Each structure stands twice: as structure tokens, then as C-alpha cells.
Amino acid sequence: METERLIMRRWREADKEPFAAMNADPEVMEHFPAPLTRAQSDAMVDRIEEQFDRLGYGLWALEVRESGAFIGFTGLALQTFEAPFLPAVEIGWRLARPAWGHGYAIEAAGRAARYAFEEAGLDGIISMTAASNVRSQEVMRRLGMTRDPAEDFDHPRVPEGSPLRRHVLYRLKRP
């Protein structure tokens, strides 16, 4: 898939090194429990690709059309951990720091949302993040997603006592 400035594609072996570097960056991973090791990052790529094979969609690798640079991912992920609103398909993104502030997240997420409704036939999607992650929440709002504070939750995969445990939930319904 493509947007005006980005190519959204399946993952390549060459993406693993810059993806691991991004996942090891403490600033990129500020709103996650911990940075990822190279092995954890590579395993994530394998899980993403398995979901593409199983469902036909996933978290697309993002490439800047003009330069060919890998900058992160945006896409759709089936979430099934224990929570009252699951299972559901989540729209998500993670970009390397040099890609921040260019509008890439909203551009790619908008395309992924169109894919969810027009091509995958989904009736709705969700997005969630740590309550402290105001940048991602702004992307969610710019996508037209809405939040009901009554649906905020403690993420079961984040350790108790962590300041990141409290998560906000946003929803977007098919237009």
C-alpha cells in the first residue's frame, strides 16, 4: 500500500536491524515497559509476518518513498489478551525518532484505517496506549477516534505498580 509519502509493505530481512535499533531506543520505548533486545525485536517481526499470513493484514513496515528509508511500522493487529473489550483489531504505530514530527504516523494510520474498513471489512477498530502517551493520543484523535474514560483499563501485560499500567482506549467505527 502507498500514501503520498510512504510505502506500507510486508517486512524484509533487511528491516530487522533498523527495527531492533528503534526498539532498543529508550525514547522510542518510553511508553512501553522496557526496550526490546534484538532477539525480542526479531521475534516481533516473525509474529507480525505470521499474522499477515493468517489474517491478510498486520503491522506494515513503513518506508519513506523518496529515500527508501525504513522508519517503523503502522497497521492492524488482532489483540486477544484478557480485557473486557477484546478480541478486537487495534490500529497502532511505532516510528524511529528521526521520523517523528513529520506527520507520518497520521498519514500511514489513516491509510491503515481505510484498509480496515474498505478492504478487511471490519466494523470498528480500537487503539490503546499508556495514559502518559499524549503524542499517540493526539494521533488517535486526529484519526477521528473517540475515547470513553469509563473504558480506560489497567493493561494486564504491564507490571502492577508501573506508571505505564493505566491505559486509555480509543475507538473508531466504520464510516
Side-chain angles (χ1 to χ4, degrees):
M1 294 191 311
E2 297 186 2
T3 69
E4 182 180 334
R5 300 177 297 159
L6 302 169
I7 297 170
M8 300 169 67
R9 58 168 174 75
R10 297 280 298 260
W11 292 73
R12 300 178 184 146
E13 190 65 30
D15 298 329
K16 287 184 174 180
E17 186 174 331
F19 187 56
M22 182 182 87
N23 288 328
D25 182 331
E27 200 169 344
V28 170
M29 300 301 286
E30 174 185 5
H31 300 287
F32 293 89
L36 301 181
T37 66
R38 174 64 192 257
Q40 290 169 322
S41 184
D42 287 354
M44 184 176 178
V45 171
D46 294 342
R47 286 191 306 275
I48 291 168
E49 278 297 304
E50 188 277 327
Q51 184 180 301
F52 271 113
D53 292 341
R54 190 168 38 90
L55 300 176
Y57 57 80
L59 299 168
W60 289 277
L62 290 181
E63 181 180 307
V64 177
R65 181 194 306 266
E66 190 173 279
S67 67
F70 170 87
I71 60 167
F73 70 73
T74 303
L76 307 171
L78 179 63
Q79 296 294 345
T80 59
F81 61 85
E82 196 65 35
F85 54 88
L86 296 179
V89 175
E90 179 186 18
I91 188 167
W93 47 86
R94 186 178 306 162
L95 302 180
R97 273 190 293 140
W100 293 1
H102 299 280
Y104 293 141
I106 189 70
E107 183 176 327
R111 178 63 183 99
R114 283 193 308 279
Y115 181 94
F117 299 129
E118 296 171 7
E119 298 173 57
L122 301 175
D123 290 326
I125 54 177
I126 63 166
S127 194
M128 65 188 107
T129 190
S132 59
N133 190 346
V134 295
R135 288 188 310 262
S136 280
Q137 290 180 61
E138 179 59 25
V139 172
M140 294 169 196
R141 286 189 293 273
R142 290 182 63 199
L143 283 172
M145 301 185 93
T146 57
R147 173 182 168 222
D148 177 352
E151 290 189 302
D152 292 354
F153 66 104
D154 289 336
H155 200 302
R157 292 185 178 159
V158 177
E160 286 192 38
S162 169
L164 301 175
R165 186 164 169 93
R166 193 68 179 165
H167 271 54
V168 295
L169 178 72
Y170 282 75
R171 294 182 180 273
L172 184 64
K173 294 184 186 209
R174 176 195 296 269

